[in-house]
Coordinates of all heavy atoms in Angstrom, one line a residue:
M1325 N 106.8 -150.9 -52.5 CA 107.8 -151.8 -53.0 C 108.1 -152.8 -51.9 O 108.5 -152.4 -50.8 CB 109.0 -151.1 -53.4 CG 110.0 -151.9 -54.1 SD 111.4 -150.8 -54.6 CE 111.9 -151.6 -56.0
M1326 N 107.9 -154.1 -52.2 CA 108.2 -155.1 -51.2 C 109.5 -155.8 -51.5 O 109.8 -156.1 -52.6 CB 107.0 -156.1 -51.2 CG 105.7 -155.5 -50.9 SD 104.4 -156.7 -51.0 CE 104.7 -157.7 -49.6
S1327 N 110.2 -156.1 -50.4 CA 111.4 -156.8 -50.5 C 111.1 -158.4 -50.6 O 110.0 -158.8 -50.4 CB 112.3 -156.6 -49.3 OG 111.8 -157.1 -48.1
A1328 N 112.2 -159.1 -50.9 CA 112.0 -160.6 -51.1 C 111.6 -161.2 -49.7 O 110.8 -162.2 -49.7 CB 113.3 -161.2 -51.6
T1329 N 112.2 -160.7 -48.6 CA 111.9 -161.4 -47.3 C 110.5 -161.1 -46.9 O 109.8 -162.0 -46.3 CB 112.9 -160.8 -46.2 OG1 112.8 -159.4 -46.2 CG2 114.3 -161.3 -46.5
S1330 N 110.0 -159.9 -47.1 CA 108.6 -159.6 -46.7 C 107.6 -160.4 -47.6 O 106.6 -160.9 -47.1 CB 108.3 -158.1 -46.8 OG 108.4 -157.6 -48.2
T1331 N 107.9 -160.6 -48.9 CA 107.1 -161.4 -49.7 C 107.1 -162.8 -49.3 O 106.0 -163.5 -49.2 CB 107.6 -161.3 -51.2 OG1 107.7 -159.9 -51.6 CG2 106.7 -162.0 -52.1
L1332 N 108.2 -163.3 -48.9 CA 108.4 -164.7 -48.4 C 107.6 -164.9 -47.1 O 106.9 -165.9 -46.9 CB 109.8 -165.1 -48.2 CG 110.1 -166.5 -47.8 CD1 109.6 -167.5 -48.9 CD2 111.6 -166.7 -47.6
A1333 N 107.7 -163.9 -46.2 CA 107.0 -164.0 -44.9 C 105.4 -163.9 -45.2 O 104.7 -164.7 -44.5 CB 107.4 -162.8 -44.0
L1334 N 105.0 -163.1 -46.1 CA 103.5 -163.1 -46.3 C 103.0 -164.3 -47.0 O 101.9 -164.7 -46.7 CB 103.3 -161.9 -47.3 CG 103.3 -160.5 -46.6 CD1 103.1 -159.4 -47.6 CD2 102.3 -160.4 -45.5
T1335 N 103.8 -165.0 -47.8 CA 103.3 -166.2 -48.4 C 103.2 -167.3 -47.4 O 102.4 -168.2 -47.4 CB 104.3 -166.7 -49.5 OG1 105.6 -166.7 -49.1 CG2 104.2 -165.7 -50.7
H1336 N 104.1 -167.3 -46.4 CA 104.0 -168.3 -45.3 C 102.7 -168.0 -44.5 O 102.1 -169.0 -44.0 CB 105.2 -168.2 -44.3 CG 106.4 -168.9 -44.9 ND1 106.5 -170.2 -45.2 CD2 107.6 -168.4 -45.3 CE1 107.6 -170.6 -45.7 NE2 108.4 -169.4 -45.8
F1337 N 102.4 -166.7 -44.1 CA 101.2 -166.5 -43.4 C 99.9 -166.9 -44.2 O 99.0 -167.3 -43.6 CB 101.1 -165.0 -43.0 CG 102.1 -164.7 -41.9 CD1 102.9 -163.6 -42.0 CD2 102.0 -165.4 -40.7 CE1 103.8 -163.3 -41.0 CE2 102.9 -165.0 -39.7 CZ 103.7 -164.0 -39.8
V1338 N 99.9 -166.7 -45.5 CA 98.8 -167.0 -46.3 C 98.6 -168.5 -46.3 O 97.4 -168.9 -46.2 CB 98.9 -166.4 -47.7 CG1 97.9 -167.0 -48.7 CG2 98.9 -164.9 -47.7
T1339 N 99.6 -169.3 -46.4 CA 99.4 -170.7 -46.3 C 99.0 -171.2 -45.0 O 98.2 -172.1 -44.9 CB 100.7 -171.5 -46.7 OG1 101.8 -171.1 -45.9 CG2 101.1 -171.2 -48.2
L1340 N 99.4 -170.6 -43.9 CA 99.0 -171.0 -42.6 C 97.5 -170.6 -42.3 O 96.7 -171.3 -41.8 CB 99.8 -170.3 -41.5 CG 101.3 -170.8 -41.3 CD1 102.0 -170.0 -40.3 CD2 101.2 -172.2 -40.8
A1341 N 97.1 -169.5 -42.9 CA 95.7 -169.0 -42.8 C 94.8 -170.0 -43.6 O 93.6 -170.2 -43.2 CB 95.6 -167.6 -43.3
D1342 N 95.2 -170.5 -44.7 CA 94.4 -171.4 -45.4 C 94.2 -172.7 -44.8 O 93.2 -173.5 -45.1 CB 95.0 -171.6 -46.9 CG 94.8 -170.4 -47.7 OD1 93.9 -169.5 -47.4 OD2 95.5 -170.2 -48.7
S1343 N 95.1 -173.2 -43.9 CA 95.0 -174.5 -43.3 C 94.0 -174.5 -42.1 O 93.6 -175.5 -41.7 CB 96.4 -174.9 -42.7 OG 96.8 -174.0 -41.7
F1344 N 93.6 -173.3 -41.6 CA 92.6 -173.3 -40.5 C 91.2 -173.5 -41.1 O 90.8 -173.0 -42.1 CB 92.6 -172.0 -39.8 CG 93.8 -171.8 -38.9 CD1 94.7 -170.7 -39.1 CD2 94.1 -172.7 -37.8 CE1 95.8 -170.6 -38.3 CE2 95.2 -172.5 -37.0 CZ 96.1 -171.4 -37.2
D1345 N 90.4 -174.2 -40.3 CA 89.0 -174.4 -40.7 C 88.2 -173.2 -40.1 O 88.2 -173.2 -38.8 CB 88.5 -175.7 -40.2 CG 87.0 -176.0 -40.7 OD1 86.6 -175.2 -41.5 OD2 86.4 -177.0 -40.2
K1346 N 87.7 -172.4 -40.8 CA 87.0 -171.2 -40.3 C 85.8 -171.5 -39.5 O 85.3 -170.7 -38.7 CB 86.8 -170.2 -41.5 CG 88.0 -169.6 -42.1 CD 87.7 -168.7 -43.2 CE 89.0 -168.0 -43.7 NZ 89.5 -168.6 -44.8
N1347 N 85.2 -172.7 -39.7 CA 84.0 -173.0 -38.9 C 84.3 -173.7 -37.5 O 83.5 -173.9 -36.7 CB 83.2 -174.0 -39.7 CG 82.6 -173.4 -41.0 OD1 82.3 -172.2 -41.0 ND2 82.6 -174.1 -42.0
K1348 N 85.6 -173.9 -37.3 CA 86.0 -174.6 -36.0 C 87.0 -173.8 -35.2 O 87.7 -174.3 -34.4 CB 86.6 -175.9 -36.3 CG 85.7 -177.0 -36.9 CD 86.3 -178.3 -37.1 CE 85.3 -179.2 -37.7 NZ 85.9 -180.6 -37.9
V1349 N 86.9 -172.5 -35.4 CA 87.8 -171.6 -34.6 C 87.2 -171.4 -33.2 O 86.1 -171.1 -33.0 CB 88.0 -170.2 -35.3 CG1 88.8 -169.3 -34.4 CG2 88.6 -170.4 -36.7
T1350 N 88.1 -171.6 -32.2 CA 87.7 -171.5 -30.8 C 88.5 -170.5 -30.1 O 89.6 -170.1 -30.5 CB 87.8 -172.8 -30.0 OG1 89.2 -173.2 -30.1 CG2 87.0 -173.9 -30.7
P1351 N 88.0 -169.9 -29.0 CA 88.8 -168.9 -28.3 C 90.1 -169.4 -27.7 O 91.1 -168.7 -27.5 CB 87.9 -168.4 -27.2 CG 86.7 -169.1 -27.2 CD 86.8 -170.1 -28.4
G1352 N 90.2 -170.6 -27.2 CA 91.4 -171.2 -26.7 C 91.7 -170.9 -25.3 O 90.9 -170.4 -24.6
V1353 N 93.0 -171.1 -25.0 CA 93.4 -170.8 -23.6 C 93.4 -169.3 -23.3 O 93.0 -168.9 -22.2 CB 94.8 -171.4 -23.4 CG1 95.4 -171.1 -22.0 CG2 94.8 -172.9 -23.6
L1354 N 93.8 -168.5 -24.2 CA 93.8 -167.1 -24.0 C 92.4 -166.5 -23.7 O 92.2 -165.7 -22.8 CB 94.5 -166.3 -25.1 CG 94.5 -164.8 -25.0 CD1 95.4 -164.4 -23.8 CD2 95.0 -164.2 -26.3
G1355 N 91.4 -167.0 -24.5 CA 90.1 -166.6 -24.2 C 89.6 -167.0 -22.8 O 88.9 -166.3 -22.1
F1356 N 89.9 -168.2 -22.4 CA 89.6 -168.7 -21.1 C 90.2 -167.8 -20.0 O 89.5 -167.4 -19.0 CB 89.9 -170.1 -20.9 CG 89.7 -170.6 -19.4 CD1 88.4 -170.9 -19.0 CD2 90.7 -170.8 -18.6 CE1 88.2 -171.3 -17.7 CE2 90.5 -171.2 -17.3 CZ 89.2 -171.4 -16.8
I1357 N 91.5 -167.5 -20.2 CA 92.2 -166.7 -19.2 C 91.6 -165.3 -19.0 O 91.3 -164.8 -18.0 CB 93.7 -166.6 -19.5 CG1 94.3 -168.0 -19.3 CG2 94.4 -165.5 -18.7 CD1 95.7 -168.1 -19.8
V1358 N 91.2 -164.7 -20.2 CA 90.6 -163.3 -20.1 C 89.3 -163.4 -19.5 O 88.9 -162.6 -18.6 CB 90.5 -162.8 -21.6 CG1 89.6 -161.5 -21.6 CG2 91.9 -162.5 -22.1
F1359 N 88.5 -164.4 -19.8 CA 87.1 -164.6 -19.2 C 87.3 -164.8 -17.7 O 86.5 -164.3 -16.9 CB 86.4 -165.8 -19.9 CG 85.0 -165.9 -19.4 CD1 84.0 -165.1 -19.9 CD2 84.7 -167.0 -18.5 CE1 82.7 -165.3 -19.4 CE2 83.4 -167.1 -18.1 CZ 82.4 -166.3 -18.5
A1360 N 88.2 -165.6 -17.3 CA 88.4 -165.9 -15.9 C 88.9 -164.7 -15.1 O 88.4 -164.4 -14.0 CB 89.5 -167.0 -15.6
V1361 N 89.7 -163.8 -15.7 CA 90.2 -162.6 -15.1 C 89.0 -161.6 -14.9 O 88.8 -161.0 -13.8 CB 91.3 -162.0 -15.9 CG1 91.6 -160.5 -15.4 CG2 92.6 -162.8 -15.7
I1362 N 88.2 -161.5 -15.9 CA 87.0 -160.7 -15.8 C 86.0 -161.2 -14.8 O 85.5 -160.4 -14.0 CB 86.3 -160.5 -17.2 CG1 87.2 -159.7 -18.2 CG2 85.0 -159.9 -17.1 CD1 86.7 -159.7 -19.6
G1363 N 85.8 -162.5 -14.7 CA 85.0 -163.0 -13.7 C 85.5 -162.8 -12.3 O 84.7 -162.5 -11.4
G1364 N 86.8 -162.9 -12.1 CA 87.4 -162.7 -10.8 C 87.3 -161.2 -10.4 O 87.0 -160.9 -9.3
A1365 N 87.4 -160.3 -11.4 CA 87.3 -158.9 -11.1 C 85.9 -158.6 -10.7 O 85.6 -157.8 -9.8 CB 87.7 -158.1 -12.3
V1366 N 84.9 -159.1 -11.4 CA 83.5 -158.9 -11.0 C 83.2 -159.4 -9.6 O 82.5 -158.8 -8.8 CB 82.6 -159.5 -12.1 CG1 81.1 -159.5 -11.6 CG2 82.7 -158.8 -13.4
W1367 N 83.8 -160.6 -9.3 CA 83.5 -161.2 -7.9 C 84.1 -160.2 -6.9 O 83.5 -160.0 -5.9 CB 84.2 -162.5 -7.9 CG 84.0 -163.2 -6.6 CD1 82.8 -163.8 -6.1 CD2 85.0 -163.3 -5.5 NE1 83.1 -164.3 -4.8 CE2 84.4 -164.0 -4.5 CE3 86.3 -163.0 -5.5 CZ2 85.1 -164.3 -3.3 CZ3 87.0 -163.3 -4.3 CH2 86.4 -163.9 -3.3
L1368 N 85.3 -159.7 -7.1 CA 86.0 -158.8 -6.2 C 85.2 -157.5 -6.0 O 85.0 -157.0 -4.9 CB 87.4 -158.5 -6.6 CG 88.4 -159.7 -6.3 CD1 89.7 -159.4 -7.0 CD2 88.5 -160.0 -4.9
L1369 N 84.7 -157.0 -7.1 CA 83.9 -155.8 -7.0 C 82.6 -156.0 -6.3 O 82.1 -155.2 -5.5 CB 83.5 -155.3 -8.4 CG 84.7 -154.6 -9.2 CD1 84.3 -154.3 -10.7 CD2 85.0 -153.3 -8.5
M1370 N 81.9 -157.1 -6.5 CA 80.7 -157.4 -5.8 C 80.9 -157.6 -4.3 O 80.2 -157.1 -3.4 CB 80.0 -158.7 -6.3 CG 79.5 -158.6 -7.7 SD 78.1 -157.5 -7.8 CE 76.9 -158.5 -7.0
K1371 N 82.1 -158.2 -3.9 CA 82.4 -158.4 -2.5 C 82.7 -157.1 -1.9 O 82.2 -156.8 -0.8 CB 83.7 -159.3 -2.5 CG 84.1 -159.7 -1.1 CD 85.2 -160.6 -1.1 CE 85.7 -161.0 0.3 NZ 86.8 -161.9 0.3
S1372 N 83.4 -156.2 -2.6 CA 83.6 -154.8 -2.0 C 82.4 -154.0 -1.9 O 82.2 -153.3 -0.9 CB 84.6 -154.1 -3.0 OG 84.8 -152.8 -2.6
M1373 N 81.5 -154.1 -2.9 CA 80.2 -153.4 -2.9 C 79.4 -153.9 -1.7 O 78.8 -153.0 -1.0 CB 79.4 -153.6 -4.2 CG 78.1 -152.8 -4.2 SD 77.1 -153.3 -5.5 CE 76.6 -154.9 -5.1
N1374 N 79.3 -155.2 -1.4 CA 78.6 -155.7 -0.3 C 79.1 -155.2 1.0 O 78.4 -154.8 2.0 CB 78.5 -157.2 -0.3 CG 77.6 -157.8 -1.3 OD1 76.6 -157.1 -1.6 ND2 77.9 -158.9 -1.7
K1375 N 80.5 -155.0 1.1 CA 81.1 -154.5 2.3 C 80.7 -153.1 2.6 O 80.4 -152.7 3.7 CB 82.6 -154.7 2.3 CG 83.3 -154.4 3.6 CD 84.8 -154.4 3.5 CE 85.5 -155.1 2.5 NZ 87.0 -155.0 2.5
H1376 N 80.7 -152.3 1.5 CA 80.4 -150.9 1.6 C 78.9 -150.7 1.9 O 78.5 -149.8 2.6 CB 80.8 -150.1 0.4 CG 82.2 -149.9 0.3 ND1 83.2 -150.7 -0.2 CD2 83.0 -148.8 0.8 CE1 84.4 -150.3 -0.1 NE2 84.3 -149.1 0.5
M1377 N 78.1 -151.5 1.3 CA 76.6 -151.4 1.5 C 76.2 -151.7 2.9 O 75.2 -151.2 3.4 CB 75.8 -152.3 0.5 CG 75.9 -151.8 -0.9 SD 75.3 -150.1 -1.1 CE 73.5 -150.4 -1.0
K1378 N 77.0 -152.6 3.6 CA 76.7 -152.9 5.0 C 76.9 -151.7 5.9 O 76.4 -151.6 7.0 CB 77.5 -154.1 5.4 CG 76.9 -155.4 4.9 CD 77.8 -156.6 5.3 CE 77.3 -157.9 4.6 NZ 78.1 -159.0 4.9
K1379 N 77.8 -150.8 5.5 CA 78.1 -149.6 6.3 C 77.1 -148.5 6.2 O 77.1 -147.7 7.0 CB 79.5 -149.1 5.9 CG 80.7 -150.0 6.2 CD 82.0 -149.4 5.7 CE 83.1 -150.2 5.9 NZ 84.4 -149.6 5.4
V1380 N 76.3 -148.6 5.2 CA 75.3 -147.5 4.9 C 74.1 -147.6 6.0 O 73.6 -148.7 6.2 CB 74.7 -147.6 3.5 CG1 73.7 -146.6 3.2 CG2 75.9 -147.5 2.5
D1381 N 73.8 -146.5 6.5 CA 72.7 -146.4 7.5 C 71.4 -145.9 6.7 O 71.4 -144.8 6.2 CB 73.0 -145.4 8.6 CG 72.0 -145.4 9.6 OD1 71.2 -146.3 9.7 OD2 72.0 -144.4 10.5
F1382 N 70.4 -146.8 6.6 CA 69.2 -146.4 5.8 C 68.1 -145.9 6.7 O 67.0 -145.7 6.2 CB 68.7 -147.7 5.1 CG 69.5 -148.1 3.9 CD1 70.3 -149.2 4.0 CD2 69.5 -147.3 2.8 CE1 71.1 -149.5 2.9 CE2 70.3 -147.6 1.7 CZ 71.1 -148.8 1.7
D1383 N 68.4 -145.6 8.0 CA 67.3 -145.0 8.8 C 67.0 -143.6 8.4 O 67.8 -142.8 8.3 CB 67.8 -145.0 10.3 CG 68.0 -146.4 10.9 OD1 67.3 -147.3 10.4 OD2 68.7 -146.5 11.8
E1384 N 65.7 -143.4 8.1 CA 65.2 -142.2 7.7 C 64.3 -141.6 8.8 O 63.6 -142.3 9.5 CB 64.3 -142.3 6.4 CG 65.1 -142.7 5.2 CD 64.3 -142.8 3.9 OE1 63.1 -142.4 4.0 OE2 64.8 -143.3 2.9
P1385 N 64.3 -140.2 8.9 CA 63.4 -139.7 9.9 C 62.0 -139.8 9.5 O 61.7 -139.9 8.3 CB 63.8 -138.2 9.9 CG 64.5 -137.9 8.6 CD 65.1 -139.3 8.2
P1386 N 61.1 -140.0 10.4 CA 59.6 -140.2 10.1 C 59.1 -138.9 9.4 O 59.6 -137.8 9.7 CB 59.0 -140.4 11.4 CG 59.9 -139.9 12.5 CD 61.3 -140.0 11.9
E1387 N 58.2 -139.1 8.5 CA 57.6 -138.0 7.9 C 56.7 -137.2 8.8 O 55.9 -137.8 9.6 CB 56.7 -138.5 6.7 CG 57.5 -139.1 5.5 CD 56.7 -139.4 4.4 OE1 55.5 -139.0 4.3 OE2 57.1 -140.3 3.6
G1388 N 56.9 -135.9 8.9 CA 56.1 -135.1 9.8 C 54.8 -134.7 9.3 O 54.7 -133.9 8.3
G1389 N 53.7 -135.3 9.8 CA 52.4 -134.9 9.4 C 51.9 -133.6 10.0 O 51.0 -132.9 9.5
E1390 N 52.5 -133.3 11.2 CA 52.1 -132.0 11.9 C 53.2 -130.9 11.7 O 54.3 -131.2 11.4 CB 51.9 -132.3 13.4 CG 50.9 -133.3 13.7 CD 50.8 -133.7 15.2 OE1 51.5 -133.0 15.9 OE2 50.2 -134.7 15.5
A1391 N 52.7 -129.7 11.8 CA 53.7 -128.6 11.5 C 54.7 -128.5 12.6 O 55.9 -128.1 12.3 CB 52.9 -127.3 11.5
G1392 N 54.5 -128.9 13.8 CA 55.4 -128.7 14.9 C 56.4 -129.9 15.0 O 57.4 -129.9 15.8
T1393 N 56.3 -130.9 14.2 CA 57.2 -132.1 14.3 C 58.3 -132.1 13.2 O 59.1 -133.1 13.2 CB 56.4 -133.4 14.1 OG1 55.8 -133.4 12.9 CG2 55.4 -133.5 15.2
T1394 N 58.4 -131.0 12.5 CA 59.5 -131.0 11.5 C 60.9 -130.8 12.1 O 61.0 -130.1 13.2 CB 59.3 -129.9 10.5 OG1 59.3 -128.6 11.1 CG2 58.0 -130.1 9.7
V1395 N 61.9 -131.5 11.6 CA 63.2 -131.4 12.2 C 64.0 -130.3 11.4 O 64.1 -130.4 10.2 CB 63.9 -132.8 12.0 CG1 65.3 -132.7 12.6 CG2 63.1 -133.8 12.8
S1396 N 64.6 -129.4 12.1 CA 65.4 -128.4 11.4 C 66.8 -128.9 11.1 O 67.2 -130.0 11.7 CB 65.5 -127.1 12.3 OG 66.3 -127.4 13.4
S1397 N 67.5 -128.3 10.3 CA 68.8 -128.8 9.9 C 69.8 -128.6 11.0 O 70.8 -129.3 11.0 CB 69.3 -128.0 8.7 OG 69.4 -126.6 9.0
A1398 N 69.6 -127.8 12.0 CA 70.5 -127.6 13.1 C 70.4 -128.8 14.1 O 71.4 -129.2 14.7 CB 70.2 -126.4 13.9
T1399 N 69.3 -129.5 14.2 CA 69.1 -130.6 15.1 C 69.1 -131.9 14.3 O 69.0 -132.9 15.0 CB 67.8 -130.5 15.8 OG1 66.7 -130.5 14.9 CG2 67.7 -129.2 16.7
A1400 N 69.3 -131.9 13.1 CA 69.3 -133.2 12.3 C 70.6 -133.9 12.6 O 71.7 -133.3 12.8 CB 69.2 -132.9 10.8
P1401 N 70.5 -135.2 12.7 CA 71.8 -136.0 13.0 C 72.7 -136.0 11.8 O 72.4 -135.9 10.7 CB 71.3 -137.5 13.2 CG 70.0 -137.5 12.5 CD 69.4 -136.1 12.6
E1402 N 74.0 -135.9 12.2 CA 75.1 -135.9 11.1 C 75.2 -137.3 10.5 O 75.0 -138.3 11.1 CB 76.4 -135.6 11.8 CG 76.5 -134.1 12.3 CD 76.3 -133.1 11.2 OE1 76.9 -133.3 10.1 OE2 75.7 -132.0 11.5
P1403 N 75.4 -137.3 9.2 CA 75.6 -138.6 8.5 C 76.9 -139.3 8.9 O 77.8 -138.6 9.3 CB 75.7 -138.3 7.0 CG 76.0 -136.8 7.0 CD 75.5 -136.2 8.2
K1404 N 76.9 -140.6 8.9 CA 78.1 -141.4 9.4 C 79.1 -141.4 8.3 O 78.8 -141.5 7.1 CB 77.7 -142.9 9.6 CG 76.8 -143.1 10.8 CD 76.6 -144.6 11.0 CE 75.7 -144.8 12.2 NZ 75.5 -146.3 12.4
T1405 N 80.3 -141.0 8.7 CA 81.4 -141.0 7.7 C 82.6 -141.8 8.4 O 83.5 -141.1 8.9 CB 81.9 -139.6 7.3 OG1 82.2 -138.9 8.5 CG2 80.8 -138.9 6.6
S1406 N 82.5 -143.1 8.4 CA 83.6 -143.8 9.1 C 84.7 -144.1 8.2 O 85.3 -144.1 7.4 CB 83.1 -145.1 9.6 OG 82.4 -145.9 8.7

């Protein structure tokens, strides 16, 4: 059961919805702000990732082709954890 005020409010929304051209709807300012925030967040994440990737040490021990050149876990260098 609908009251008179809710019926009146719905009729106003229906007339406003009919005045918009459905082929010319654009995202507007809010869409631009959301896109800009997402772009800024991606930029900050990439900057942080580059900083962390520069700290990574990619030096690998050489592959031991001979049986006597294998490195045991007791003599292996500890990983960097700065």
Side-chain angles (χ1 to χ4, degrees):
M1325 183 178 214
M1326 297 179 71
S1327 66
T1329 55
S1330 62
T1331 305
L1332 183 62
L1334 286 176
T1335 56
H1336 283 297
F1337 284 129
V1338 170
T1339 57
L1340 286 175
D1342 287 339
S1343 65
F1344 288 120
D1345 185 9
K1346 293 181 173 99
N1347 295 325
K1348 293 184 180 180
V1349 176
T1350 61
V1353 176
L1354 180 63
F1356 174 74
I1357 291 171
V1358 169
F1359 186 77
V1361 167
I1362 291 172
V1366 168
W1367 180 76
L1368 288 172
L1369 284 171
M1370 292 292 290
K1371 188 174 177 182
S1372 175
M1373 182 190 69
N1374 283 332
K1375 188 187 333 177
H1376 283 88
M1377 290 300 285
K1378 287 179 183 177
K1379 293 180 183 178
V1380 175
D1381 184 17
F1382 286 109
D1383 291 335
E1384 295 182 9
E1387 292 184 18
E1390 299 174 9
T1393 61
T1394 59
V1395 178
S1396 67
S1397 62
T1399 61
E1402 295 293 323
K1404 290 183 181 179
T1405 56
S1406 52

